[in-house]
Amino acid sequence: MNPSPAPYVPPPSEAPRKEIIDLRLSDPFRWLLRGWRDLMAAKGISLFYGVCFFAMAWVLGAVFRSKPEYVMSIASGCLLVGPFLAMGLYEVSRRREQGITPELGASLTCWDSHMRSMGMLVLVLIVLELLWGRASLVVFAVFFNTGMPSTTGVIKAVFNPENWEFLAVYLVVGGVFAGLVFAVSVVSIPMILDRDTDAISAAITSLQVVFGNTAVMLLWGMLLTGLVLLALIPWGLGLLLIGPWLGHASWHAYRGSVRWLDEVDAPLVS
């Protein structure tokens, strides 16, 4: 009788060990402060990215006013370009953290060595955005059974107190998808830049941060949302400043949420 084979023991993981930091409610404000310092230290580079964010918002707004049927397509394009622009801001903050002088050229090309992981993550975000758009269309179809409203009709429907049921359902559906996109991406993109990890590991780490520090990350999401809404008044000009500021702060949100144990264990060089 042949002996039973030995159980399979997987080899130890060669991935860097990490731990999720227990955050405090004061941490998001610390991230904003550090992001502001990066903004002030690299004003020219930050302004360049601010102009890019402003241009994206202006194009999206112009399409919404004139051709609302193309809004989802343009939004998908912005969702494709946005993470790469954000990665450029993360690169500026990363270089400052390491004592390296930030350069616009380096920030514009920092993603080229992470293209595979970034492409996969952006694909996931686009799929979520398309599902979000489809769910929104279903909500409109249910409440407007006489046909899809025009752009003016959408605005009137949102601000009409008699449509509170529609507004409640629309906000719940949008909140679920917005929360999912936030949870998947809040630290995953800077993690890919910092550690060149695969998209799945980065997304899982991002989810661990959100579910491990739910109250703090909810506060962080509310701060991001509030500042973006503030930046849109008037005419989106605030994005010139607030856009890059939040990009820099998001890098510090990642660094403040994930601790890499090989950095902790590394010997000090005298």
Side-chain angles (χ1 to χ4, degrees), residues 30-257:
R30 187 176 298 110
W31 303 335
L32 288 173
L33 177 59
R34 292 174 178 173
W36 183 260
R37 292 172 180 168
D38 291 344
L39 176 68
M40 291 294 101
K43 298 184 184 70
I45 299 177
S46 299
L47 179 60
F48 168 82
Y49 285 100
V51 171
C52 292
F53 290 134
F54 172 74
M56 290 168 60
W58 187 87
V59 170
L60 189 59
V63 171
F64 178 76
R65 288 189 296 269
S66 59
K67 296 288 184 179
E69 62 271 21
Y70 295 113
V71 167
M72 294 305 300
S73 299
I74 299 298
S76 298
C78 292
L79 192 61
L80 178 63
V81 175
F84 291 96
L85 292 176
M87 186 174 270
L89 292 166
Y90 303 153
E91 174 66 10
V92 172
S93 295
R94 186 186 72 86
R95 281 177 162 247
R96 288 200 68 242
E97 186 178 286
Q98 296 180 350
I100 305 174
T101 302
E103 297 177 356
L104 178 59
S107 71
L108 289 173
T109 59
C110 64
W111 50 266
D112 58 355
S113 59
H114 314 285
M115 189 64 183
R116 191 170 185 175
S117 297
M118 277 293 295
M120 179 62 68
L121 184 61
V122 169
L123 178 62
V124 171
L125 295 177
I126 289 178
V127 170
L128 289 175
E129 194 264 349
L130 292 176
L131 290 174
W132 185 353
R134 179 62 61 181
S136 298
L137 289 177
V138 171
V139 173
F140 275 105
V142 170
F143 284 91
F144 296 92
N145 52 16
T146 58
M148 292 298 292
S150 62
T151 303
T152 304
V154 171
I155 296 175
K156 289 182 178 179
V158 170
F159 290 99
N160 188 346
E162 296 181 358
N163 292 329
W164 66 268
E165 293 178 336
F166 157 75
L167 184 58
V169 174
Y170 189 77
L171 290 177
V172 168
V173 172
V176 169
F177 279 97
L180 185 56
V181 170
F182 173 76
V184 168
S185 61
V186 63
V187 302
S188 56
I189 299 176
M191 179 175 165
I192 290 174
L193 173 66
D194 186 34
R195 289 284 169 159
D196 197 26
T197 57
D198 61 276
I200 301 300
S201 298
I204 291 175
T205 300
S206 189
L207 291 170
Q208 289 174 332
V209 169
V210 171
F211 288 110
N213 298 279
T214 305
V216 177
M217 298 315 292
L218 279 175
L219 174 60
W220 180 231
M222 291 171 60
L223 288 172
L224 293 177
T225 303
L227 287 171
V228 169
L229 291 177
L230 180 64
L232 297 177
I233 304 173
W235 307 296
L237 291 174
L239 288 172
L240 295 170
L241 180 66
I242 293 179
W245 178 25
L246 296 182
H248 293 305
S250 295
W251 167 263
H252 294 287
Y254 153 69
R255 292 294 287 168
S257 303

Side-chain angles (χ1 to χ4, degrees), residues 11-18 191 195 197-198 201 260-262:
S13 174
E14 297 181 357
R17 294 177 300 131
K18 65 179 183 299
M191 179 175 165
R195 289 284 169 159
T197 57
D198 61 276
S201 298
W260 296 97
L261 299 183
D262 59 341

